[in-house]
């Protein structure tokens, strides 16, 4: 949450920072601001609203500068407003700072500062930290760098901060704990950002800053230090990302582009790993740790949001194929409930961003307790990827739409391959079934492609139901988590209240909601319990609910029961969720756009939740 950008070098800083903020807007978009430094003059401009509002606000203003920092906000402390927007200025006006994260003990520090006579012009924890730093610098007569170090040792919480000082015309000082920071290394210039997307078009050489590190960044020098003032050699890595991957490429929205990218993202995810003809799955993170994985007493999957739903599907798959008990936990619960972690337990972390604060901290705790951590992450080099003992990337490419789509199907593909790999090594799957599932996985990109060719059919359904006030999503077995995901997508994108339920459990409550105005989406693909879900459809029909069903091509039983249906290609029940979720992604997209909503930036949400 919150996106931060910084630039120091020979270019005009403002265009670099502004473009970077637009790329990072998925991280938060309730207000935005920049601080620019020119000839010892520090100018701070900020505005409630989106980055485009800031841009408009700055027309005609003096924005010339070769050093600048910018911020796009997802409010934590203080409502979205001009005065709570970042950057914040220190009491003397000499320092400007942006911050991503939460300073948990800010109230106590604020009290101390108020006693000393400080006044605050915002409700933010950020302004408190900034004045605390300035106070230390004044009292101790220390350098800014030293003051930051002292302050950061006192604060609890998460932060990535960028500061500029009007008396130091070329330097940005940055520090992180818990919130991401990437530094791009150019020729005589440096770029700083929450992720690599603002940097990619200028340089591919980057340094991922670690927790408790401080970066002193000048145009031609990057110094990294720990909080003990010891120098650290920056580890430079090469970005494996193209500019086209972070642009809309002719689509109206990133979300639609990302839905339509799924045939190729799944192909990329399987490529070089799965060889159905040879009957092999090669994934180095799994191969190297296969003994640990196949002998696990228990697997715990820890995740949030859509990634948690991928974990739920995996629970069904791993228990079925590998015969290992699986528990799926919300990271936010896991981290606070003192879970029992035994030797031999494996923790699988599932995360698109690799930065979700709850997941990250849950893993840190589990690691301290001796658990083996396997990360399934999309963003290469992210914190969770680095913290894991082993892992597998989903290779879905940058996902910019706030609602997760292609990352989810990538997670399912990886989890499927992982389960097949373990089951094969363990001997809990027959050779026939193993080969059949490998072949079916290989066919997934083509099958998604054929679903997408009929996207217009989903749009027609969306137009019919766009004004409904509630939706119910029902599924059984492997498709139960898909019902949850379908409901979550619709809530996120269209602000329509929606609930996902196991189809049979519907009788224990939600059936009371059924009336002729309630659309009920059944994920009713052909599987061994198809007859059961048909009975559930009858129950809804008898109560005059409107039925929209996702069915398998050739199914003749469900269409007469449905007001609308959408067919997907036949697939084994283990593979079906990767397909059945696609029409639900389209449904939420088309409902959202039919309602005229900003589907890429739904209200109140952020893509990467780096606060708890
Ligand atoms: C936010 C996003 C969701 C995402 C969840 C977990 O809520 O809006 O799309 O599923 O965080 O994020 P992660 O990056 O850990 O998968």
């Amino acid at each position: 949450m919150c996106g931060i950008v910084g630039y120091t070098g020979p270019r005009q800083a403002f265009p670099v920072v502004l473009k970077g903020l637009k790329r990072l807007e998925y991280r938060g978009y309730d207000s935005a601001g920049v601080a620019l430094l020119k000839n010892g003059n520090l100018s701070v401009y900020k505005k409630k609203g989106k980055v485009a509002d800031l841009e408009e606000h700055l027309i005609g203003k003096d924005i010339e500068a070769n050093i600048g920092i910018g911020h796009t906000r997802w409010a934590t402390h203080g409502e979205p407003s001009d005065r709570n927007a970042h950057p914040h200025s220190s009491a003397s006006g000499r320092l400007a700072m942006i911050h991503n994260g939460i300073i948990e003990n800010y109230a106590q520090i604020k009290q101390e500062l108020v006693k000393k006579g400080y006044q605050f012009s915002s409700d933010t924890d950020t302004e408190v930290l900034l004045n605390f730093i300035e106070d230390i610098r004044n009292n101790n007569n220390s350098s800014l760098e030293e003051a930051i170090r002292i302050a950061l040792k006192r604060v609890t919480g998460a932060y990535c901060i960028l500061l500029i000082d009007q008396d130091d015309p070329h330097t940005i000082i940055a520090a992180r704990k818990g919130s991401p920071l990437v530094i791009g290394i150019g020729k005589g210039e440096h770029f700083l950002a929450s992720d690599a997307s603002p940097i990619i078009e200028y340089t591919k050489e980057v340094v991922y800053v670690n927790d408790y590190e401080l970066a002193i960044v000048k145009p031609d020098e990057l110094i990294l230090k720990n909080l003990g003032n010891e120098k650290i050699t920056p580890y430079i890595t090469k970005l494996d990302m193209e500019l086209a991957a972070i642009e809309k490429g002719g689509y109206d929205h990133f979300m639609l582009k990302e839905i339509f990218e799924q045939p190729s993202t799944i192909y990329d995810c399987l490529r070089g790993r799965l060889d159905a003809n040879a009957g092999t799955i090669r994934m180095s993170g799994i191969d190297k740790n296969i003994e640990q994985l196949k002998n696990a007493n228990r697997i715990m999957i820890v995740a949030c949001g859509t990634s948690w739903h991928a974990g739920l599907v995996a629970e069904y798959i791993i228990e079925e194929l590998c015969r290992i008990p699986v528990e799926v936990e919300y990271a936010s619960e896991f981290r606070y409930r003192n879970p029992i972690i035994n030797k031999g337990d494996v923790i699988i972390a599932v995360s698109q961003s690799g930065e979700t604060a709850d997941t990250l901290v849950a893993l840190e705790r589990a690691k301290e307790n001796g658990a083996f951590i396997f990360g399934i992450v999309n963003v290469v080099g992210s914190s969770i990827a680095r913290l894991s003992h082993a892992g597998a990337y989903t290779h879905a490419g940058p996902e910019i739409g706030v609602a997760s789509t292609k990352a989810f199907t990538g997670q399912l593909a990886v989890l499927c391959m992982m389960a097949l790999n373990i089951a094969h090594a363990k001997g809990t799957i027959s050779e026939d079934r193993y080969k059949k599932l490998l072949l079916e996985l290989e066919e997934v990109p083509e099958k998604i492609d054929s679903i997408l060719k009929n996207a217009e059919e989903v749009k027609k359904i969306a137009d019919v139901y766009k004004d409904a006030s509630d939706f119910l999503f029902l599924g059984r077995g492997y498709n139960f988590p898909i019902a949850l995901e379908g409901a979550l997508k619709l809530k996120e994108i269209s602000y329509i209240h929606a609930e996902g339920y196991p189809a049979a459990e519907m009788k224990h409550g939600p059936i009371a909601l059924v009336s002729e105005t309630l659309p009920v989406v059944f994920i009713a693909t052909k599987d061994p319990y198809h007859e059961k879900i048909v009975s559930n459809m009858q129950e809804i029909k008898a109560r005059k609910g409107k039925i929209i069903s996702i069915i398998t091509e050739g199914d003749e039983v469900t269409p007469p029961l449905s007001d609308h249906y959408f067919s997907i290609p036949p697939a084994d029940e283990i593979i079906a969720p990767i397909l059945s979720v696609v029409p639900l992604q389209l449904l939420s997209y088309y409902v959202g756009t039919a309602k005229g909503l900003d589907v890429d930036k739904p209200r109140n949400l952020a893509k990467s939740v780096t606060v708890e």
Side-chain angles (χ1 to χ4, degrees):
M1 7 214 68
C2 301
I4 58 177
V5 190
Y7 174 78
T8 178
R11 296 174 203 253
Q12 281 300 313
F14 179 70
V16 176
V17 170
L18 186 78
K19 205 177 205 185
L21 289 181
K22 287 183 177 166
R23 297 242 166 95
L24 291 177
E25 223 176 351
Y26 71 86
R27 304 179 66 89
Y29 32 82
D30 60 47
S31 51
V34 290
L36 302 164
L37 183 55
K38 184 187 165 196
N39 302 333
N41 285 323
L42 189 53
S43 316
V44 175
Y45 304 105
K46 43 197 198 172
K47 198 78 200 136
K48 181 180 167 185
K50 300 202 167 136
V51 175
D53 298 307
L54 173 75
E55 190 176 8
E56 205 183 303
H57 173 64
L58 286 181
I59 293 170
K61 305 251 175 12
D62 180 12
I63 45 167
E64 261 194 42
N66 299 112
I67 176 168
I69 55 177
H71 187 270
T72 176
R73 181 170 186 247
W74 186 89
T76 58
H77 292 57
E79 58 168 10
S81 63
D82 290 356
R83 66 187 200 97
N84 285 331
H86 299 214
H88 291 281
S89 306
S90 63
S92 71
R94 284 166 61 196
L95 303 176
M97 183 169 104
I98 53 177
H99 169 215
N100 167 22
I102 289 183
I103 304 303
E104 286 165 359
N105 57 344
Y106 85 101
Q108 188 195 342
I109 297 171
K110 187 170 186 177
Q111 239 176 18
E112 289 170 24
L113 292 173
V114 168
K115 272 190 206 148
K116 287 183 168 184
Y118 279 84
Q119 288 178 347
F120 292 88
S121 51
S122 78
D123 309 315
T124 64
D125 50 343
T126 307
E127 195 188 6
V128 174
L129 175 58
L130 176 60
N131 280 313
F132 185 41
I133 291 170
E134 180 157 84
D135 189 61
I136 295 171
R137 173 159 95 165
N138 294 342
N139 282 340
N140 295 17
N141 203 13
S142 56
S143 67
L144 177 59
E145 188 194 317
E146 181 63 15
I148 294 173
R149 260 196 302 275
I150 295 170
L152 293 182
K153 284 185 194 155
R154 264 282 311 274
V155 303
T156 55
Y159 54 80
C160 173
I161 52 171
L162 261 57
L163 282 102
I164 47 179
D165 176 357
Q166 72 171 29
D167 301 325
D168 190 349
H170 303 294
T171 309
I172 299 175
I173 302 190
R176 79 155 261 182
K177 186 203 147 205
S179 302
L181 176 62
V182 190
I183 301 179
I185 302 170
K187 288 199 172 72
E189 59 184 348
H190 283 105
F191 307 83
L192 301 92
S194 301
D195 74 24
S197 60
I199 297 174
I200 180 81
E201 67 192 89
Y202 307 108
T203 174
K204 292 214 163 181
E205 297 205 328
V206 296
V207 172
Y208 290 96
V209 178
N210 290 309
D211 279 351
Y212 304 108
E213 286 178 0
L214 196 95
I216 299 108
V217 190
K218 299 174 191 288
D220 44 18
E221 191 180 27
L222 164 63
I223 300 171
L224 269 192
K225 290 182 177 178
N226 61 22
L227 292 187
N229 199 21
E230 291 159 337
K231 279 198 181 175
I232 298 163
T233 312
Y235 177 65
I236 300 172
T237 49
K238 267 217 151 21
L239 285 176
D240 180 20
M241 190 201 279
E242 295 305 325
L243 192 56
I246 54 170
E247 291 179 336
K248 280 192 201 145
Y251 285 89
D252 288 344
H253 298 98
F254 280 111
M255 184 178 176
L256 191 64
K257 176 189 176 221
E258 287 157 8
I259 292 173
F260 272 80
E261 274 175 346
Q262 289 176 109
S264 63
T265 54
I266 298 293
Y267 178 79
D268 287 343
C269 176
L270 305 179
R271 187 160 46 105
R273 291 169 163 175
L274 178 87
D275 185 341
N277 279 336
T280 53
I281 297 172
R282 300 209 185 287
M283 296 170 89
S284 64
I286 295 174
D287 299 341
K288 282 189 197 139
N289 297 286
I290 193 67
E291 289 304 313
Q292 176 106 29
L293 293 167
K294 78 175 198 197
N295 294 321
N297 296 324
R298 182 176 62 148
I299 291 177
M300 297 173 92
I301 302 180
V302 178
C304 301
T306 288
S307 300
W308 185 79
H309 294 155
L312 282 185
V313 177
E315 176 183 17
Y316 283 68
I317 300 178
I318 296 172
E319 291 204 343
E320 164 74 17
L321 298 183
C322 313
R323 310 308 299 151
I324 299 171
V326 179
E327 284 167 33
V328 188
E329 289 255 11
Y330 284 117
S332 53
E333 291 299 315
F334 181 85
R335 65 182 280 198
Y336 286 116
R337 72 166 185 81
N338 197 12
I340 299 164
I341 297 165
N342 296 313
K343 208 164 174 279
D345 285 349
V346 166
I347 305 230
I348 301 180
V350 187
S351 175
Q352 187 286 126
S353 62
E355 301 293 347
T356 302
D358 281 325
T359 311
L360 194 56
V361 179
L363 298 179
E364 281 165 1
R365 300 268 154 81
K367 199 172 178 186
E368 280 159 22
N369 288 330
F372 177 77
I373 316 282
F374 191 92
I376 297 182
V377 173
N378 193 38
V379 177
V380 177
S382 55
S383 300
I384 294 174
R386 285 180 288 145
L387 180 134
S388 302
H389 292 109
Y393 284 117
T394 39
H395 293 313
E399 190 181 65
I400 293 165
V402 165
S404 186
T405 53
K406 62 176 182 171
F408 178 70
T409 46
Q411 289 164 351
L412 293 183
V414 167
L415 284 158
C416 226
M417 285 194 282
M418 184 175 187
L420 282 164
N421 215 339
I422 297 172
H424 198 236
K426 220 177 155 200
T428 48
I429 186 169
S430 73
E431 203 60 27
D432 275 1
R433 182 137 168 75
Y434 175 72
K435 291 225 166 103
K436 176 176 176 280
L437 287 170
L438 256 54
L439 276 170
E440 283 220 13
L441 256 182
E442 225 169 43
E443 289 166 359
V444 165
E446 210 179 303
K447 288 182 177 172
I448 297 184
D449 202 36
S450 81
I451 293 172
L452 294 171
K453 288 207 168 89
N454 297 323
E456 278 299 309
E457 282 180 35
V458 184
K459 187 170 186 304
K460 284 183 198 148
I461 301 175
D463 286 339
V464 175
Y465 295 101
K466 69 178 180 14
D467 296 319
S469 56
D470 303 272
F471 263 75
L472 201 55
F473 286 75
L474 301 176
R476 297 182 83 110
Y478 296 89
N479 275 329
F480 156 53
I482 299 305
L484 296 181
E485 176 60 8
L488 178 65
K489 277 297 79 95
L490 192 71
K491 271 186 281 211
E492 286 178 309
I493 298 304
S494 70
Y495 317 150
I496 294 176
H497 167 248
E499 284 190 52
Y501 246 80
E505 187 65 18
M506 166 267 293
K507 289 197 281 294
H508 302 283
I511 198 162
L513 303 173
V514 178
S515 73
E516 54 203 8
T517 57
L518 181 78
V520 182
V521 180
F522 275 93
I523 302 103
T525 51
K526 269 282 171 64
D527 57 27
Y529 17 82
H530 189 247
E531 282 172 9
K532 306 275 176 211
I533 206 157
V534 170
S535 307
N536 299 138
M537 288 170 102
Q538 298 277 17
E539 288 153 8
I540 296 290
K541 185 121 191 106
R543 287 158 185 84
K544 300 197 165 33
K546 293 278 175 289
I547 295 181
I548 303 161
S549 55
I550 309 299
I551 63 169
T552 305
E553 280 165 15
D555 175 359
E556 288 174 358
V557 180
T558 33
L561 291 173
S562 311
D563 293 277
H564 298 272
Y565 66 90
F566 183 87
S567 307
I568 65 170
D572 188 283
E573 56 176 336
I574 282 180
I575 310 289
I578 314 184
L579 306 177
S580 59
V581 73
V582 177
L584 304 186
Q585 296 169 343
L586 288 168
L587 182 69
S588 64
Y589 172 80
Y590 287 125
V591 172
T593 46
K595 290 172 84 90
L597 300 171
D598 186 348
V599 295
D600 279 341
K601 299 187 200 91
R603 71 179 177 210
N604 301 337
L605 297 178
K607 182 143 194 76
S608 183
V609 181
T610 52
V611 297
E612 33 173 316

